[in-house]
C-alpha cells in the first residue's frame, strides 16, 4: 500500500494505554493521519512510503499539549522577575502592555513562542491573549495546532473597549476560523476578579449553544480568594458554580487554593484543571494538590503559563516539576508517576481542550502530531525505562523531529517554517524598545 510517511523508531510510546512502550515499531501516516502502528518488519512488508524516517536512537511519542499559554508574552521574558503576582501584574506587566500592545507585538511574540514550543516538542497550545486573530494567523502560517482563546476582560484595552465588544469580536473570529482543522476557539475570560457576572453569564449561554470550552484563571492565589469574599461574599469557585460555568467544557487554570468541599464540587462538575507548576512556584502562588485532584477523578492537564512568569515554554520541565512537586506536596513518592505526568502533558491536555478524539495519543485515526526524542545522549544513559527517562532526565534539547498533522515542522533540530535569523532581528528590535 502506498502512503505518505513511515517513521521507524527504536521505541514508540503511544500514551494510551498507560505506560505502554513498543520496541522497534513503525508509525504509518497518510493524509496527515495515523493509519497504523505496527512492528517495523510488518510495516516494511505492508507499506511503501514516499518518505521514510529512521530513528534508531529515538522514542516517538505524541506531541505535547501546552494547555495554558500567553504566547505573545515571550517578548516580556525576564522583565520584572522575582515579584508576587499582583505586584508583577499591576506595576510592571499591565503598564508595559498598555504602552506596547499592538498587532506587531502579538505577531512577533507569537512567532517566538511557536518556534520555542516546536523546538521543545509542543505541537498544540491553548492561548489567552489580546489580538487572538493575529495569534491564529501566525499559528496557521507555521503549521502549528492552536486553541486560540477568545479573550474577555471588563476593562478597555487597545483590542476592545468593553466586555460587549470583546464578545462580539471573539464571535466574529470564531466564525472566521471554525473550519480551520488546526484551530479551535474557546472562550477565555481572564479571571473571576477581572470579569463581572453579566458577561460571564452571556458567554456561558453562547458557549453552550456553540459547544465551546471556557478557559479561565481560577483560585490562583490566596489574595484572589480574599478579594472575592470582600466583593461577592463568596469564594470564586462557588460564584462560578452559581453562574453555571462549572461544566465538562470548563478549564480552571492554577487552582492552588482549594478546600475538600471544593474538590468534591469540582469533581462532580466534570470540569478540567490546568496545572502550571513552575509559574505557580516562581510567583509563590501556592501548591496545586494534584494527587488529590487525580484521586477525585478530575482530569488534570499541564501548561507553562506565559514566558514572562515561568520563564520558558518547556513542557519537559513542567512534566518533571509536576511529578516531583506532587510527590512532595502529598508526601508520597508514588503520588504522580512518570506515565501520569506524560499523560497530563499529552492526552489529558487534549481532553481538556475537547480534542481527545484528534490528538494526545498515537492511535489509528488520529492526527499525526508526534515528536522524536534522541535518548542516546549521555544525559539519558544508561537507559532502563524510556518513558521514565524522558520525564525525569530528558530535555527539550533532545527533540530532533516534530510532525503536526503529518507535516514535518522540525527536521533534525531545524525549523522548517520559521526563518530564525529574521526572527532574531525582530526580537533584537523589541528588546531595544522595551528597555528604553
Amino acid at each position: 500500500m502506498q502512503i505518505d510517511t513511515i517513521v521507524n523508531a527504536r521505541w514508540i510510546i503511544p500514551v494510551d494505554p498507560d505506560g505502554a512502550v513498543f520496541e522497534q515499531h513503525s508509525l504509518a501516516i497518510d493524509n496527515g493521519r495515523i493509519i497504523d502502528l505496527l512492528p517495523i518488519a510488518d510495516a516494511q512488508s505492508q507499506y511503501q512510503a514516499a518518505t521514510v524516517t529512521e530513528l534508531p536512537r529515538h522514542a516517538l511519542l505524541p506531541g505535547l499539549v501546552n494547555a495554558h499559554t500567553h504566547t505573545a508574552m515571550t517578548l516580556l521574558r525576564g522583565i520584572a522577575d522575582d515579584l508576587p503576582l499582583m505586584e508583577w501584574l499591576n506595576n510592571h506587566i499591565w503598564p508595559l502592555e498598555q504602552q506596547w500592545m499592538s498587532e506587531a507585538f502579538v505577531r512577533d511574540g507569537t512567532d517566538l513562542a511557536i518556534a520555542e514550543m516546536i523546538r521543545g516538542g509542543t505541537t498544540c497550545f491553548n492561548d489567552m491573549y489580546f489580538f487572538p486573530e493575529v495569534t491564529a494567523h501566525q499559528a496557521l502560517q507555521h503549521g502549528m495546532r492552536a486553541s486560540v482563546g477568545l479573550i474577555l476582560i471588563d476593562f478597555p484595552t487597545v483590542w476592545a473597549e468593553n466586555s460587549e465588544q470583546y464578545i462580539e469580536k471573539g464571535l466574529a473570529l470564531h466564525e472566521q476560523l471554525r473550519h480551520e482543522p488546526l484551530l479551535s476557539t474557546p472562550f477565555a475570560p481572564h479571571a473571576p476578579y477581572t470579569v463581572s457576572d453579566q458577561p460571564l453569564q452571556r458567554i456561558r449561554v453562547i458557549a453552550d449553544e456553540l459547544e465551546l470550552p471556557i478557559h479561565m484563571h481560577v483560585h490562583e492565589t490566596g489574595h484572589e480568594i480574599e478579594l472575592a469574599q470582600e466583593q461577592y461574599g463568596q469564594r470564586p469557585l462557588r460564584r462560578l458554580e452559581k453562574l453555571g460555568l462549572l461544566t465538562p467544557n470548563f478549564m480552571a487554570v492554577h487552582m492552588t487554593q482549594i478546600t475538600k468541599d471544593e474538590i468534591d464540587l469540582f469533581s462532580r462538575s466534570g470540569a478540567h484543571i490546568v496545572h502550571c507548576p513552575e509559574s505557580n512556584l516562581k510567583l509563590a502562588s501556592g501548591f496545586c494538590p494534584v494527587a488529590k485532584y487525580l484521586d477525585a477523578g478530575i482530569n488534570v492537564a499541564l501548561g507553562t503559563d506565559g514566558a514572562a512568569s515561568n520563564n520558558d515554554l518547556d513542557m519537559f520541565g513542567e512534566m518533571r516539576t509536576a511529578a516531583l512537586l506532587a510527590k512532595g506536596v502529598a508526601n508520597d513518592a508514588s503520588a504522580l508517576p512518570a506515565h501520569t505526568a506524560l499523560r497530563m502533558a499529552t492526552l489529558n491536555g487534549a481532553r481538556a481542550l475537547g480534542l481527545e478524539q484528534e490528538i494526545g495519543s498515537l492511535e489509528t485515526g488520529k492526527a499525526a502530531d508526534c515528536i522524536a526524542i534522541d535518548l542516546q545522549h549521555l544525559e539519558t544513559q544508561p537507559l532502563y525505562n524510556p518513558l521514565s527517562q524522558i520525564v525525569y532526565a530528558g530535555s527539550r534539547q533532545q527533540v530532533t523531529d516534530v510532525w503536526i498533522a503529518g507535516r514535518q515542522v522540525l527536521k533534525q533540530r531545524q525549523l522548517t517554517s520559521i526563518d530564525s535569523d529574521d526572527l532574531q532581528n525582530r526580537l533584537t528590535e523589541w528588546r531595544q524598545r522595551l528597555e528604553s
Side-chain angles (χ1 to χ4, degrees), residues 10-11 21 23 375 380-390 393:
R10 177 68 175 83
W11 302 276
V21 178
E23 295 194 44
L375 293 178
T380 44
Q381 292 291 317
L383 194 152
Y384 305 107
N385 181 326
L387 194 161
S388 182
Q389 203 79 322
I390 287 168

Side-chain angles (χ1 to χ4, degrees), residues 284-342:
S285 298
F287 300 116
C288 181
V290 175
K292 291 181 179 179
Y293 292 147
L294 295 174
D295 288 345
I298 297 170
N299 180 55
V300 182
L302 277 181
T304 59
D305 211 342
S309 64
N310 186 305
N311 289 13
D312 57 42
L313 304 177
D314 181 2
M315 288 292 288
F316 283 83
E318 298 299 328
M319 280 194 288
R320 183 181 303 110
T321 301
L324 299 180
L325 186 61
K327 299 172 193 299
V329 170
N331 195 29
D332 178 2
S334 64
L336 205 169
H339 66 83
T340 301
L342 180 59

Side-chain angles (χ1 to χ4, degrees), residues 17-66:
D18 264 345
V21 178
F22 300 130
E23 295 194 44
Q24 301 294 347
H25 268 58
S26 299
L27 199 69
I29 301 168
D30 198 49
N31 291 320
R33 308 196 81 81
I34 299 167
I35 63 167
D36 212 343
L37 195 168
L38 68 173
I40 291 175
D42 293 344
Q44 290 172 339
S45 65
Q46 294 182 35
Y47 299 104
Q48 294 78 49
T51 301
V52 177
T53 300
E54 300 289 348
L55 301 172
R57 303 152 45 113
H58 298 66
L60 190 71
L61 58 151
L64 305 179
V65 178
N66 189 341

Side-chain angles (χ1 to χ4, degrees), residues 154 163 191-192 194-201 232 239 243:
D154 277 351
S163 59
T194 54
V195 187
S196 51
D197 285 0
Q198 186 174 356
L200 285 176
Q201 288 172 323
Y232 295 100
R239 175 177 159 233
L243 292 172

Side-chain angles (χ1 to χ4, degrees), residues 48-327:
Q48 294 78 49
T51 301
V52 177
T53 300
E54 300 289 348
L55 301 172
R57 303 152 45 113
H58 298 66
L60 190 71
L61 58 151
L64 305 179
V65 178
N66 189 341
H68 179 61
T69 62
H70 309 285
T71 52
M73 293 182 78
T74 50
L75 294 184
L76 302 176
R77 190 196 324 260
I79 287 181
D81 282 338
D82 307 320
L83 295 171
L85 175 64
M86 297 316 296
E87 180 181 350
W88 176 77
L89 278 175
N90 289 321
N91 299 335
H92 299 277
I93 298 303
W94 284 343
L96 281 170
E97 288 178 329
Q98 185 175 13
Q99 181 180 0
W100 292 106
M101 179 59 56
S102 65
E103 291 188 16
F105 181 97
V106 174
R107 179 198 65 213
D108 294 343
T110 299
D111 280 356
L112 174 57
I114 288 174
E116 179 178 353
M117 286 190 285
I118 288 175
R119 283 163 54 89
T122 292
T123 56
C124 176
F125 67 95
N126 180 36
D127 204 49
M128 176 191 286
Y129 209 63
F130 309 104
F131 293 101
E133 71 277 13
V134 177
T135 303
H137 180 271
Q138 298 312 110
L140 285 176
Q141 180 177 329
H142 302 307
M144 185 70 163
R145 193 179 300 278
S147 179
V148 181
L150 309 177
I151 186 73
L152 172 61
I153 200 165
D154 277 351
F155 54 78
T157 64
V158 68
W159 193 68
E161 295 181 359
N162 51 46
S163 59
E164 182 177 346
Q165 190 175 40
Y166 282 103
I167 294 171
E168 289 174 356
K169 294 183 76 170
L171 288 173
L173 182 60
H174 164 74
E175 181 63 25
Q176 178 185 338
L177 300 177
R178 65 192 182 95
H179 296 302
E180 292 289 352
L182 289 180
L183 300 182
S184 55
T185 51
F187 277 109
H190 175 259
Y193 57 89
T194 54
V195 187
S196 51
D197 285 0
Q198 186 174 356
L200 285 176
Q201 288 172 323
R202 186 177 174 202
I203 66 164
R204 177 189 59 78
V205 172
I206 298 170
D208 288 347
E209 291 175 353
L210 299 178
E211 297 183 339
L212 297 182
I214 297 175
H215 166 220
M216 188 180 200
H217 301 102
V218 181
H219 283 222
E220 183 172 1
T221 66
H223 182 59
E224 175 192 337
I225 308 297
E226 294 170 4
L227 287 176
Q229 290 175 320
E230 291 174 7
Q231 186 173 2
Y232 295 100
Q234 59 190 331
R235 290 163 67 90
L237 208 58
R238 289 292 179 182
R239 175 177 159 233
L240 295 177
E241 179 203 18
K242 291 179 179 179
L243 292 172
L245 268 73
L246 295 191
T247 74
N249 287 331
F250 187 74
M251 290 174 276
V253 184
H254 298 302
M255 290 286 283
T256 67
Q257 316 292 318
I258 202 78
T259 67
K260 183 183 183 305
D261 287 346
E262 288 169 336
I263 292 176
D264 294 340
L265 167 68
F266 204 90
S267 177
R268 291 193 302 270
S269 75
H272 313 268
I273 290 171
V274 181
H275 178 33
C276 302
E278 294 188 0
S279 176
N280 292 343
L281 288 169
K282 183 168 185 255
L283 295 171
S285 298
F287 300 116
C288 181
V290 175
K292 291 181 179 179
Y293 292 147
L294 295 174
D295 288 345
I298 297 170
N299 180 55
V300 182
L302 277 181
T304 59
D305 211 342
S309 64
N310 186 305
N311 289 13
D312 57 42
L313 304 177
D314 181 2
M315 288 292 288
F316 283 83
E318 298 299 328
M319 280 194 288
R320 183 181 303 110
T321 301
L324 299 180
L325 186 61
K327 299 172 193 299

Side-chain angles (χ1 to χ4, degrees), residues 107 110-119 122-123 125 137-145 182 402-404 407-423 426:
R107 179 198 65 213
T110 299
D111 280 356
L112 174 57
I114 288 174
E116 179 178 353
M117 286 190 285
I118 288 175
R119 283 163 54 89
T122 292
T123 56
F125 67 95
H137 180 271
Q138 298 312 110
L140 285 176
Q141 180 177 329
H142 302 307
M144 185 70 163
R145 193 179 300 278
L182 289 180
V402 174
W403 294 261
I404 299 175
R407 174 188 176 188
Q408 192 160 12
V409 293
L410 187 73
K411 186 173 184 179
Q412 297 178 11
R413 292 296 297 162
Q414 297 301 309
L415 294 163
T416 65
S417 66
I418 297 176
D419 184 333
S420 298
D421 291 337
D422 171 67
L423 179 57
R426 286 183 278 151

